[in-house]
Amino acid sequence: MAMKRKLMPAFFVGPHLILFIVFVLIPTVYGIYASFTQWNLNSDPVWTGLDNYRTILFDSESTFYRQFWNGLKNTLLFVALSVPLLIIIPLMVAVALEHKKVKMKGTIQAIIYVPGLISISAAALIWSLIFNKQLGVSSNVFGSDAVWSTTQPYAWMIIIILTIWGGVGGNMIIYRASINGVSKDLYEAGDIDGAGPIRKFFSITLPSIRFPLIYTFVMTTAGAFNVFGQPLMLTDGGPRESTTVLMMYIRQLAFGHGDSIAGMASAMAVLLGVVILVISALQYYVMNRNAN
Amino acid sequence: MKKKLALPLALVFLAVAVLSGCSGEDKNTITFWTPLTGEDGAYMNQLVENYNATNPEFKVKHIVTADMYTKLSTVLNTGKGVPDLAIIHADRVPGYVEQGLLEEMTTILAAQPEIKEENYLPQAWATGTVDGTQYTVPLDIHSNVMYYNKDLLAKYGAESFLDDNVVTIDEMLSLKGKLETGHYVVNDALIGWVILAQIQNLGGDIQENGKPAVNTPVMKQAFEEIKKVADAGLMTPFGEDGFLQFQSGNVLFSTDGTWSSTAHASVEGLNFGVTNVYSATPEKYTNRASSHLFAMLTNKDRSDEKEAGIGNFLEFIRQNSLEWAKAGQIVASKEVIESPEYKEYMQSFFTSNEEQIKSLYIYTYEHYPYIQEAIDQNAADLVRGNVDMDETLAKMQKQVEDKIAQGSSGAQ
């Protein structure tokens, strides 16, 4: 019986643990190993130590240096543009849906949430048609002359529009759930003290949903760093590589034309991972400290 | 209660473990991977079905494999689940042979006397020959070609451009100022391939003594020639969908692929024909092409009997690949292209005489894929003058060199 009790947890944890080891842990460790090698996926990797990192970070003559820094710059730009919007808009929607006079809350929530379920490639196809110069609404109805996918700042705009369209729902659900969990007494007390809606939002709602806010902020940022589908499908990294994000360079190197350059791609991926880790940790630290 | 739960969980656990080790190989089946994820995959299915209907000892199982080259790397590394037969693109051959990933076709050629150089389009056959050894058998040539809108040509009196099979840039420029607003002479579909054709037309190459030659006077001239068309306002505007504009009947010429003919044919009211890609010089025309090739990837488990079965399948394809012409491709087997039925297909234009056949040019330089990638990434901007020509060519040259240094692994 005692033996059985010991085995029980293993059965519950086991499947996940195996999947985690096979599909996350081993690839991660191997990816880090690959980043120290020169490897074309076909022949054996050749150990080159820190060469890849040295090239990417310091050899300003190298193509990989140019690609990494341009990719990182574009990725950071995407994060800076998208993350605030992906926090503020869902928060505003969630708060607005709390108003007594809003009807059909469930339906509205569903409508906003559904785009998040559609695959990015399908969604990108639809949006690229909307912004298509010949067929799209942007030119035929609104009379825009620009070719959106190949002109800045429009190229970034369509990427951000698609991202927000698809990303608002997820965070909104979290905010709605946590706002529902805030004690009604607090709002009543606020009413008695004569607090207006704005005051109540900043003094009651926001502090009460601190943890969901930190969580969504960190997760949305990490997700935004991994952006790939939107620029690939909408702009193909253009115009002039101004929307080529780091993930696109990484994929091009590892699985693009000709022999794979998997070692360099892995090194870039590891560096991207480090950036995400550092920024997430910083966010968590700063927000948590301020919250206390 | 606990017991009841534990059992199904254990089963799930087991199933995961068992399934992950599953390979499903069959001794009497030829596993056949292709990267044909588009419409052409269905035509290949039909070909395979036709072959299996002849009741061969070894039936063929066609598996359309997305991201095939990545998956090939994986199975080749582990040595498990390597397909018996695969279709690869011409530009993969030199790299694969150098890395020892392809098996020779020697025994198949010995067993099938009709599978020989004379029975195939010469350049399609030759891409599989490395140092005198044959590694592949060709299925087709698929090429960059130029479609023309017959109605628009008549409207602008440009039908004479087609007289000598070479539409020159000068001829195109003669239409400057004569077109209605919203009409263009040519689009920028597959513009990178058009550049690669001009390099041949201008007598250049993409390599010098095995070293990549991107930042060269010929390359610059190729871009400058095409740029003339764009500068004159005759090319569809930057970033716009030129393919669609051709189908909408606003563009005289479209430089896309042989395989697009089926898509163009489905457009109601589009009266179109096909000719060679335009050239910077009246003396020469080139259509940058590639080829789908049957290849056997290194696999110790492939039995001699199975190899004989593969030989039978390839011989069947040689005789019966007319089906493949429906996909718009230029079939490589001479028996097929010389048949009267094939003449009904539009692409038979490119095999109508020796000179035409020669115009289908397949680059076989080992590092060609990197060069094409660099050209594709920058061609549209270079042609429109969005970027500085010299600076960009230098950047492209550097990119190709850096990639070659990294991509060709030092392990050999």
Side-chain angles (χ1 to χ4, degrees):
Chain A
M1 198 61 197
M3 176 77 178
K4 204 173 161 190
R5 208 167 290 153
K6 268 187 189 165
L7 275 178
M8 259 326 258
F11 278 119
F12 284 105
V13 180
H16 175 256
L17 198 66
I18 289 184
L19 292 176
F20 173 78
I21 291 173
V22 172
F23 292 109
V24 179
L25 190 66
I26 295 177
T28 308
V29 172
Y30 202 81
I32 294 172
Y33 162 70
S35 73
F36 294 103
T37 66
Q38 188 181 333
W39 187 32
N40 65 7
L41 293 183
N42 289 324
S43 32
D44 294 330
V46 180
W47 184 264
T48 54
L50 288 168
D51 277 4
N52 290 343
Y53 291 96
R54 206 172 296 136
T55 310
I56 292 171
L57 294 174
F58 306 114
D59 181 3
S60 59
E61 291 291 300
S62 168
T63 304
F64 307 112
Y65 172 93
R66 177 179 65 76
Q67 292 188 337
F68 177 76
W69 291 108
N70 185 47
L72 191 63
K73 186 195 85 196
N74 291 334
T75 307
L76 285 169
L77 191 61
F78 175 80
V79 171
L81 290 171
S82 71
V83 172
L85 294 171
L86 281 174
I87 301 290
I88 292 167
I89 295 176
L91 191 58
M92 280 164 53
V93 175
V95 172
L97 281 177
E98 287 306 307
H99 197 278
K100 283 181 217 119
K101 285 185 183 162
V102 177
K103 296 208 175 72
M104 299 198 301
K105 292 179 180 172
T107 318
I108 296 173
Q109 174 172 319
I111 291 173
I112 296 175
Y113 185 67
V114 161
L117 303 176
I118 298 172
S119 86
I120 285 188
S121 24
L125 280 177
I126 297 168
W127 279 98
S128 58
L129 282 175
I130 291 177
F131 290 105
N132 186 298
K133 178 78 197 300
Q134 281 98 46
L135 306 172
V137 180
S138 62
S139 53
N140 291 315
V141 178
F142 298 109
S144 151
D145 278 335
V147 185
W148 284 56
S149 60
T150 54
T151 324
Q152 290 291 23
Y154 303 104
W156 272 122
M157 279 164 68
I158 50 175
I159 290 172
I160 298 294
I161 288 172
L162 171 62
T163 307
I164 288 169
W165 176 79
V168 161
N171 284 350
M172 179 199 66
I173 298 259
I174 296 177
Y175 295 147
R176 279 208 79 198
S178 29
I179 290 173
N180 274 327
V182 179
S183 166
K184 296 281 173 288
D185 301 352
L186 293 173
Y187 291 105
E188 277 167 24
D191 282 337
I192 292 167
D193 288 344
I198 294 171
R199 182 65 202 238
K200 276 192 278 183
F201 173 73
F202 282 106
S203 299
I204 302 173
T205 314
L206 269 192
S208 306
I209 60 166
R210 196 177 71 217
F211 281 110
L213 268 181
I214 296 176
Y215 171 78
T216 50
F217 188 36
V218 173
M219 294 309 280
T220 309
T221 309
F225 268 104
N226 281 315
V227 59
F228 175 66
Q230 298 92 313
L232 181 81
M233 296 288 298
L234 290 171
T235 64
D236 199 18
R240 274 166 281 156
E241 300 187 45
S242 62
T243 57
T244 312
V245 292
L246 198 47
M247 280 298 284
M248 288 172 73
Y249 284 122
I250 292 171
R251 193 182 188 284
Q252 255 171 33
L253 288 175
F255 309 115
H257 290 75
D259 283 333
S260 169
I261 303 171
M264 203 57 88
S266 301
M268 285 192 193
V270 169
L271 287 172
L272 176 63
V274 170
V275 172
I276 296 176
L277 206 69
V278 169
I279 291 190
S280 302
L282 242 138
Q283 281 178 324
Y284 190 81
Y285 174 73
V286 170
M287 288 201 64
N288 220 12
R289 202 187 52 176
N290 286 348
N292 288 332
Chain B
M1 186 63 200
K2 267 187 177 176
K3 207 171 184 181
K4 272 185 191 162
L5 243 173
L7 189 70
L9 270 176
L11 282 175
V12 170
F13 189 62
L14 223 118
V16 170
V18 171
L19 278 176
S20 56
C22 191
S23 62
E25 272 179 43
D26 186 346
K27 278 199 174 115
N28 288 325
T29 305
I30 295 167
T31 343
F32 173 40
W33 284 15
T34 71
L36 310 169
T37 46
E39 220 177 292
D40 41 6
Y43 292 107
M44 182 47 73
N45 269 338
Q46 188 59 48
L47 271 173
V48 169
E49 226 169 82
N50 294 350
Y51 176 69
N52 287 341
T54 64
N55 270 325
E57 190 187 343
F58 290 86
K59 290 206 170 179
V60 177
K61 189 177 170 196
H62 177 216
I63 301 165
V64 176
T65 316
D67 265 340
M68 188 185 78
Y69 294 107
T70 310
K71 286 185 184 132
L72 280 179
S73 298
T74 316
V75 293
L76 285 166
N77 268 323
T78 59
K80 277 183 188 161
V82 180
D84 298 306
L85 185 66
I87 281 186
I88 61 171
H89 288 97
D91 55 31
R92 293 279 170 172
V93 176
Y96 273 13
V97 170
E98 202 193 304
Q99 293 166 38
L101 303 177
L102 290 188
E103 230 144 83
E104 297 175 8
M105 284 278 175
T106 320
T107 43
I108 287 181
L109 300 191
Q112 302 288 346
E114 291 308 309
I115 301 185
K116 57 182 176 187
E117 189 172 0
E118 298 82 60
N119 286 340
Y120 292 92
L121 290 175
Q123 63 272 56
W125 182 268
T127 47
T129 323
V130 179
D131 298 331
T133 309
Q134 192 66 24
Y135 288 92
T136 62
V137 173
L139 167 68
D140 70 20
I141 289 183
H142 46 283
S143 178
N144 186 198
V145 296
M146 188 158 81
Y147 296 97
Y148 55 88
N149 184 320
K150 289 180 182 170
D151 299 336
L152 284 184
L153 282 189
K155 178 176 175 171
Y156 292 115
E159 285 151 318
S160 61
F161 292 4
L162 302 173
D163 289 349
D164 51 357
N165 286 335
V166 199
V167 176
T168 62
I169 289 175
D170 288 340
E171 280 173 329
M172 287 178 152
L173 291 174
S174 72
L175 288 174
K176 189 180 177 182
K178 293 181 183 161
L179 300 185
E180 278 176 25
T181 326
H183 281 187
Y184 302 96
V185 171
V186 68
N187 64 14
D188 62 355
L190 297 180
I191 191 80
W193 289 21
V194 175
I195 296 290
L196 283 159
Q198 302 314 320
I199 293 168
Q200 290 303 313
N201 290 339
L202 297 166
D205 201 358
I206 55 168
Q207 59 135 350
E208 268 164 37
N209 308 320
K211 298 261 184 296
V214 181
N215 190 9
T216 58
V218 171
M219 182 71 81
K220 189 174 176 182
Q221 195 189 343
F223 276 111
E224 276 169 348
E225 293 288 344
I226 310 288
K227 190 168 177 289
K228 282 184 197 164
V229 182
D231 286 348
L234 301 176
M235 190 176 274
T236 50
F238 180 64
E240 292 194 20
D241 190 338
F243 185 81
L244 187 73
Q245 288 193 321
F246 177 74
Q247 294 193 331
S248 323
N250 297 327
V251 184
L252 275 73
F253 297 106
S254 173
T255 50
D256 49 285
T258 34
W259 55 90
S260 301
S261 61
T262 50
H264 292 329
S266 67
V267 179
E268 220 169 285
L270 183 65
N271 189 10
F272 70 102
V274 72
T275 187
N276 298 299
V277 170
Y278 59 97
S279 172
T281 150
E283 280 99 49
K284 194 173 176 194
Y285 55 92
T286 305
N287 303 295
R288 181 273 176 206
S290 180
S291 176
H292 285 126
L293 307 160
F294 291 101
M296 293 190 293
L297 293 135
T298 317
N299 181 1
K300 276 181 241 134
D301 302 332
R302 191 186 290 112
S303 64
D304 291 347
E305 292 79 23
K306 198 179 257 188
E307 214 163 288
I310 292 172
N312 290 332
F313 175 59
L314 296 186
E315 173 61 15
F316 176 88
I317 294 284
R318 188 187 72 77
Q319 293 174 23
N320 298 290
S321 45
L322 189 66
E323 182 74 27
W324 194 241
K326 288 186 193 162
Q329 314 289 31
I330 301 162
V331 176
S333 160
K334 280 195 175 163
E335 185 169 321
V336 173
I337 54 178
E338 280 161 9
S339 69
E341 294 97 321
Y342 184 75
K343 304 271 185 294
E344 289 165 23
Y345 292 94
M346 184 173 263
Q347 67 269 31
S348 63
F349 171 81
F350 297 96
T351 48
S352 54
N353 60 51
E354 281 303 311
E355 200 189 346
Q356 271 303 333
I357 293 177
K358 264 192 203 157
S359 77
L360 302 169
Y361 188 83
I362 303 175
Y363 281 97
T364 52
Y365 173 50
E366 187 190 349
H367 301 298
Y368 167 77
Y370 291 148
I371 295 180
Q372 193 202 308
E373 183 184 42
I375 291 177
D376 284 345
Q377 282 167 355
N378 297 287
D381 279 319
L382 279 168
V383 165
R384 266 27 173 272
N386 293 345
V387 287
D388 181 77
M389 182 91 65
D390 293 317
E391 209 175 278
T392 308
L393 286 177
K395 187 185 85 175
M396 287 159 64
Q397 175 78 29
K398 175 78 177 141
Q399 175 177 325
V400 172
E401 283 170 4
D402 283 350
K403 286 200 167 187
I404 290 173
Q406 280 292 324
S408 44
S409 175
Q412 293 144 48

